[in-house]
């Protein structure tokens, strides 16, 4: 055999035990009474689903997770593209700035979260700077609004990851053949026109990559939120992973499993169509 | 017209870049740095001013000891190095076969193998499984969980890359009678270097900074990692924020990666760009 099946074995053994098996368990233990408070595990049917549905936490977490993921996908991709276009030319300053904008990517999201928690306090440095700019006191509760905090947190997460999106976009921009741009210039296309009709369509794979990773990453969003708001105020930034973390910490393992199953279904239902659409868009353009 | 574009690219553009970098990245990092050198009282309300009295050494040594930093650094390395090595070796071995053999079985296996890119790991039942295997709260359990999580990513990247390598490069070795493992190690693996570099960087970043899965798998055990300890330092003081210690920990913990990056930034960035977008 030129390509022995045995070479597949170690990878698939690890996948089978530590990925597929827990995923199958997810469908089993979501319907049991597994918890920290007694030793035996018994099936309870839909009791967990009913429990999380009845206190509204599941639905609200699902909604917040979707809102958060969409906001991150938009902001992270937008910031990344803006930075890539700004820093496209290989000047010394641009190269230096690329390194600077990549530093947050290397930092732990927890560290980034704590930094912004300090920065965004109502009497903190950001409001201080804004106040100095407009000449009167500013006390915006960036992380204390039940409506807007999810946007702030999505911004913080996008701030952390925009350097990676920038690098991916820069790679995409570099692959555009020079003669195509030359042809556009001869045809009289300006900067903006060239970008809209030629460069943006040609970096479709980079858009797919960035939107997909941002969406999938923030469906599993956890550490940025933990460090900025911990899920608050009034649970308005409590995405699924934060909820799972909290419920698990309270010993309600089966309920946490139910939420984990909900996350799995959410991702399967939303991510596949979005990624499929983006891939198709690449081929059409 | 020509003059105005020249003014833009010579003066305005660099100024915009510098101001943007200073405001967007500089201010948050500056805040972390200065706060990490203040006394607890002064750091209580973090701002951008320099410390009146410098407590650099106090804070850093306290964060170092209170956060059990050496032990956590050891824990982080102990978990990260074998996971990354294992996932790369097993993953590229499987990818080679998945890329070269055709047929329905291989297609199904490939789809199953990369499903983990999209589907989130079932974090709660992983804990139960680890308990049944007597691997809960152990570094080995953590390694295996990370390997299970990132195997999909490696197989996705490497399989795609192998498909761009012509089969002919393997044929000379085959003529000489080399066995499959020999061909893989001597011919294929060296060609995979760019994609393995990318995967290494990304997975190292994810594992080094992970707190969610580490909390479930290692939480409560003897072994800990840097992010887990940062979390406990930050949530340990209930009555008053110990921002000076939090930021000393943040700086100490981020420094190794930032230094590695600044030294090797050209390779790292070209590694990521080379692997991610074909």
């Amino acid at each position: 055999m030129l390509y022995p099946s045995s070479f597949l074995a170690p990878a698939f053994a690890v996948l089978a035990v530590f990925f597929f098996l827990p995923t199958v368990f997810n469908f089993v233990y979501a319907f049991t009474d597994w918890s920290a408070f007694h030793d035996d595990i018994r099936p309870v049917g839909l009791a967990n689903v009913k429990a999380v549905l009845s206190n509204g936490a599941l639905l609200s977490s699902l909604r917040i997770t979707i809102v958060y993921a969409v906001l991150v996908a938009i902001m992270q991709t937008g910031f990344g593209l803006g930075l890539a276009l700004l820093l496209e030319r290989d000047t010394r300053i641009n190269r230096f700035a690329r390194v600077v904008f990549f530093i947050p990517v290397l930092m732990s999201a927890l560290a980034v979260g704590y930094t912004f928690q300090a920065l965004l306090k109502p009497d903190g440095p950001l409001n201080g700077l804004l106040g100095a700019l407009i000449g009167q006191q500013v006390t915006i509760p960036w992380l204390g609004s039940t409506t807007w905090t999810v946007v702030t947190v999505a911004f913080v997460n996008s701030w952390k990851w925009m350097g990676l999106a920038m690098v991916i976009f820069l790679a995409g921009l570099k692959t555009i053949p020079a003669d195509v741009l030359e042809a556009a210039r001869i045809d009289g296309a300006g900067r903006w026109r060239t970008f809209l009709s030629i460069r943006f369509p040609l970096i479709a794979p980079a858009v797919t990559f960035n939107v997909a990773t941002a969406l999938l990453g923030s469906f599993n969003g956890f550490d940025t939120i933990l460090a900025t708001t911990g899920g608050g105020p009034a649970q308005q930034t409590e995405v699924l992973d934060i909820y799972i973390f909290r419920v698990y910490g309270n010993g309600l393992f089966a309920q946490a499993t139910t939420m984990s199953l909900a996350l799995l279904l959410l991702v399967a239902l939303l991510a596949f169509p979005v990624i499929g659409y983006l891939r198709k868009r690449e081929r059409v353009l | 017209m020509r003059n105005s574009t020249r003014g833009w690219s010579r003066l305005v553009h660099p100024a915009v870049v510098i101001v943007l970098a200073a405001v967007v990245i500089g201010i948050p990092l500056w805040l972390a740095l200065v706060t990490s050198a203040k006394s607890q009282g002064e750091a209580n309300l973090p701002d951008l001013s320099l410390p009146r009295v410098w407590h650099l050494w106090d804070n850093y040594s306290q964060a170092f000891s209170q956060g059990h930093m050496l032990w956590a650094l050891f824990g982080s390395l102990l978990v990260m190095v074998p996971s990354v090595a294992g996932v790369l070796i097993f993953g590229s071995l499987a990818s080679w076969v998945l890329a070269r053999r055709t047929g329905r079985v291989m297609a199904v296996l490939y789809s199953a193998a990369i499903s983990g890119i999209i589907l989130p790991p079932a974090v709660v039942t992983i804990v139960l499984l680890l308990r049944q295997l007597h691997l809960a709260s152990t570094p080995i359990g953590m390694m295996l969980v990370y390997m299970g999580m990132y195997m999909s990513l490696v197989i996705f990247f490497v399989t795609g890359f192998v498909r761009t390598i012509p089969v002919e490069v393997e044929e000379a070795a085959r003529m000489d009678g080399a066995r499959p493992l020999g061909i893989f190690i001597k011919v294929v693996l060296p060609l995979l270097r760019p994609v393995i570099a990318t995967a290494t960087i990304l997975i190292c970043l994810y594992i080094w900074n992970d707190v969610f899965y580490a909390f479930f798998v290692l939480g409560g055990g003897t072994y800990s990692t840097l992010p887990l300890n940062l979390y406990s330092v930050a949530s340990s003081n209930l009555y008053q924020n110990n921002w000076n210690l939090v930021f000393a920990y943040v700086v100490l913990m981020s420094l190794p990666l930032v230094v590695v990056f600044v030294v090797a930034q050209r390779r790292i960035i070209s590694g990521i760009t080379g692997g991610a977008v074909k």
Side-chain angles (χ1 to χ4, degrees):
Chain A
M1 201 53 155
L2 293 178
Y3 305 104
S5 304
S6 60
F7 285 13
L8 299 171
F12 277 89
V14 171
L15 275 172
V17 180
F18 294 94
F19 187 73
F20 299 140
L21 200 58
T23 304
V24 173
F25 275 6
N26 220 339
F27 285 87
V28 178
Y29 288 94
F31 305 102
T32 67
D33 64 351
W34 178 33
S35 82
F37 308 114
H38 48 85
D39 289 332
D40 54 333
I41 300 175
R42 279 168 313 183
V44 290
L46 293 173
N48 295 317
V49 181
K50 280 187 193 136
V52 279
L53 279 178
S54 65
N55 74 9
L58 173 68
L59 294 180
S60 121
S61 286
L62 277 173
R63 188 181 55 81
I64 293 165
T65 308
I66 294 170
V67 170
Y68 174 73
V70 170
L71 285 171
V72 171
I74 294 171
M75 286 196 236
Q76 193 171 306
T77 313
F79 296 160
L81 183 59
L83 284 176
L85 291 172
L86 184 71
L87 305 177
E88 193 183 352
R89 286 185 48 215
D90 277 320
T91 64
R92 191 170 294 175
I93 286 176
N94 284 358
R95 267 198 295 256
F96 172 74
R98 286 178 207 158
V99 174
V100 171
F101 280 104
F102 202 80
I103 290 175
V105 177
L106 305 162
M107 292 170 67
S108 106
L110 219 49
V112 168
Y114 291 130
T115 309
F116 274 86
Q117 198 202 101
L119 193 68
L120 297 176
K121 283 175 172 296
D123 45 3
L126 181 67
N127 281 340
L129 283 174
L130 289 177
L133 273 179
I134 63 167
Q136 53 180 313
Q137 209 185 358
V138 177
T139 50
I140 304 170
W142 296 99
L143 296 170
S145 150
T146 47
T147 317
W148 297 105
T149 300
V150 66
V151 183
T152 314
V153 175
F155 171 86
V156 174
N157 198 55
S158 310
W159 179 89
K160 177 187 169 11
W161 289 107
M162 67 187 177
L164 188 61
M166 167 194 79
V167 167
I168 307 289
F169 276 126
L170 282 170
L173 290 170
K174 285 254 154 59
T175 60
I176 299 174
D179 49 346
V180 175
L181 296 175
E182 179 71 15
R185 207 177 54 82
I186 291 170
D187 288 346
R191 222 172 239 248
W192 185 235
R193 182 84 215 157
T194 313
F195 174 71
L196 279 186
S197 313
I198 297 173
R199 302 209 297 163
F200 188 67
L202 283 174
I203 54 171
V207 176
T208 307
F209 184 92
N210 279 326
V211 172
T213 48
L215 267 184
L216 293 172
S218 42
F219 278 137
N220 293 295
F222 176 74
D223 25 22
T224 319
I225 304 176
L226 182 74
T228 44
T229 65
Q235 297 177 18
Q236 284 309 302
T237 56
E238 189 167 82
V239 293
L240 284 164
D241 274 354
I242 295 269
Y243 185 94
I244 294 171
F245 178 78
R246 186 164 64 82
V247 174
Y248 180 88
N250 291 343
L252 300 168
F253 304 148
Q255 275 199 24
T257 313
T258 311
M259 295 301 287
S260 167
L261 184 62
L263 177 67
L264 181 87
L265 297 176
L266 171 75
V267 171
L269 287 175
L270 282 186
F272 281 113
V274 170
I275 292 168
Y277 164 77
L278 289 167
R279 297 294 286 189
K280 208 161 90 200
R281 177 175 161 273
E282 282 176 33
R283 253 170 268 134
V284 172
L285 289 166
Chain B
M1 179 68 200
R2 168 156 286 190
N3 263 335
S4 74
T5 46
R6 199 178 293 162
W8 160 256
S9 60
R10 275 191 49 201
L11 294 168
V12 183
H13 180 268
V16 168
V17 170
I18 289 170
V19 170
L20 199 69
V23 171
V24 174
I25 306 293
I27 289 180
L29 296 188
W30 173 257
L31 175 70
L33 276 175
V34 290
T35 312
S36 77
K38 290 180 178 174
S39 67
Q40 179 161 358
E42 210 185 334
N44 204 16
L45 182 61
D47 59 25
L48 301 173
S49 63
L50 283 170
R52 271 193 296 275
V53 188
W54 289 75
H55 287 265
L56 205 59
W57 177 250
D58 292 354
N59 289 341
Y60 280 69
S61 58
Q62 205 185 328
F64 195 86
S65 57
Q66 196 177 322
H68 306 287
M69 206 152 199
L70 270 185
W71 184 236
L73 177 71
F74 170 72
S76 278
L77 286 172
L78 179 73
V79 168
M80 183 181 80
V81 175
S83 323
V84 173
V87 81
L88 287 171
I89 294 168
F90 294 165
S92 37
L93 203 57
S95 300
W96 185 46
V97 178
L98 286 170
R100 291 298 192 221
R101 276 166 66 173
T102 49
R104 183 163 296 174
V105 179
M106 284 300 135
V108 171
L109 283 178
Y110 178 66
S111 310
I114 65 165
S115 63
I117 295 182
I118 292 182
L119 298 178
V123 60
V124 186
T125 50
I126 282 177
V127 179
L128 183 73
L129 182 79
L130 289 175
R131 281 191 197 157
Q132 288 163 346
L133 298 171
H134 301 290
L135 291 172
S137 304
T138 66
I140 295 183
M142 190 76 251
M143 284 170 212
L144 289 165
V145 169
Y146 282 140
M147 282 172 65
M149 278 168 56
Y150 295 118
M151 192 66 79
S152 295
L153 192 71
V154 173
I155 290 182
F156 175 71
F157 274 155
V158 179
T159 306
F161 193 86
V162 174
R163 287 189 177 135
T164 66
I165 304 174
V167 184
E168 287 74 24
V169 298
E170 296 164 20
E171 263 159 16
R174 197 171 298 137
M175 301 286 208
D176 296 340
R179 295 157 63 88
L181 193 62
I183 298 175
F184 176 77
I185 292 171
K186 286 191 199 119
V187 183
V188 180
L189 214 48
L191 291 171
L192 295 180
R193 261 173 55 191
V195 70
I196 286 184
T198 313
T200 310
I201 298 162
L202 283 179
I203 298 172
C204 282
L205 267 183
Y206 292 150
I207 294 183
W208 189 257
N209 291 329
D210 169 60
V211 63
F212 188 60
Y213 303 102
F215 169 81
F216 281 91
V217 175
L218 294 175
T222 327
Y223 287 88
S224 193
T225 60
L226 288 167
L228 270 186
N229 280 17
L230 170 60
Y231 180 67
S232 65
V233 166
S235 36
S236 65
N237 202 330
L238 287 170
Y239 306 105
Q240 204 173 18
N241 277 325
N242 44 359
W243 286 113
N244 51 340
L245 293 188
V246 171
F247 283 120
Y249 204 97
V250 163
V251 172
L252 280 176
M253 177 180 150
S254 310
L255 220 52
L257 275 190
V258 173
V259 169
V260 168
F261 173 68
V262 169
V263 172
Q265 42 105 357
R266 207 161 284 183
R267 288 184 134 206
I268 290 173
I269 288 191
S270 72
I272 292 174
T273 54
V277 184
K278 287 157 292 233

